[in-house]
Amino acid sequence: MIANQTPADEYREIADRFTEIVKGVPDDATWNRQSPVPEWTARDVVRHLVEWFPGFLADGAGITLPQGPSVDEDPVAAWRTMSDGVQAVLDDPASADKKLVNRHIGEVELPMAIARFFTSDVFMHTWDLARATGQDETLDPERCAMLLEGMQPLDDVLRSSGQYGPKVEVPDDADVQTKMLAFIGRDPR
């Protein structure tokens, strides 16, 4: 997280940007374009975020997020409904005292678990959706640098999880966004 930023503030900023990209998709044909994630369309990028996190939160913290329409029916409303629910959890002062428990990560304060596992996922997938739909794919360089710095020591763990593809080779003088994307297995070229 950026200094002096709460998990709620961080999520609001990142989710607002992702929401802009989601709302900027012009038509159904664009939703069906290939994304940088193999075997995913632009719609599947949204589907991934809308479908994996509610179960993670319910299983680990007993929190049920509101459910909107399916991503196939209305990807914008599906994202907004779920994302607004995440923001409400983060904005609730009682969340600060809750824990998320997961056999892979142990026990983590709920706001930090959301920040580590979901907010960062939304941030990275913002590029995927923007690239797939021809929108501005520029990411915050400070956040890219922080993510890259945090992920590099976990390289083997991340690769073995199946969540990240093989690193893509980029020049040593590449900008930090390019390096972060290459680290997670995206070819930014």
Side-chain angles (χ1 to χ4, degrees):
M1 274 186 304
I2 304 291
N4 300 323
Q5 196 173 42
T6 67
D9 293 339
E10 178 186 43
Y11 183 77
R12 184 174 291 105
E13 180 183 319
I14 290 170
D16 283 353
R17 173 78 199 295
F18 190 81
T19 300
E20 287 175 25
I21 302 293
V22 170
K23 288 171 44 180
V25 176
D27 55 37
D28 204 53
T30 306
W31 279 111
N32 294 322
R33 285 186 189 164
Q34 176 65 46
S35 83
V37 179
E39 301 178 22
W40 280 7
T41 64
R43 185 182 312 271
D44 293 328
V45 173
V46 176
R47 182 185 327 279
H48 163 71
L49 294 171
V50 168
E51 292 182 358
W52 85 264
F53 190 65
F56 180 78
L57 201 55
D59 292 344
I63 294 172
T64 303
L65 293 174
Q67 186 174 5
S70 76
V71 173
D72 290 322
E73 181 184 328
D74 187 343
V76 176
W79 164 254
R80 294 288 305 261
T81 302
M82 195 274 311
S83 182
D84 289 350
V86 172
Q87 190 66 61
V89 169
L90 288 167
D91 287 340
D92 181 353
S95 292
D97 297 327
K98 294 182 180 176
K99 306 284 187 208
L100 184 136
V101 180
N102 178 284
R103 65 186 177 100
H104 300 290
I105 61 169
E107 187 174 296
V108 180
E109 292 176 5
L110 180 60
M112 289 310 298
I114 292 172
R116 282 188 206 153
F117 300 103
F118 190 63
T119 304
S120 61
D121 205 32
V122 174
F123 179 76
M124 290 183 277
H125 286 305
T126 297
W127 184 84
D128 294 323
L129 185 60
R131 171 62 64 102
T133 60
Q135 298 183 65
D136 179 9
E137 54 193 61
T138 306
L139 299 175
D140 175 13
E142 184 178 0
R143 204 170 302 280
C144 287
M146 287 181 351
L147 274 173
L148 183 58
E149 184 180 323
M151 290 186 296
Q152 285 175 325
L154 303 171
D155 190 11
D156 292 339
V157 173
L158 294 174
R159 302 272 169 244
S160 67
S161 74
Q163 301 299 313
Y164 297 86
K167 284 189 252 183
V168 173
E169 293 299 319
V170 294
D172 290 340
D173 64 349
D175 64 82
V176 71
Q177 176 175 313
T178 299
K179 288 179 180 180
M180 188 272 296
L181 292 167
F183 181 84
I184 64 172
R186 305 294 194 273
D187 188 347
R189 292 169 281 219

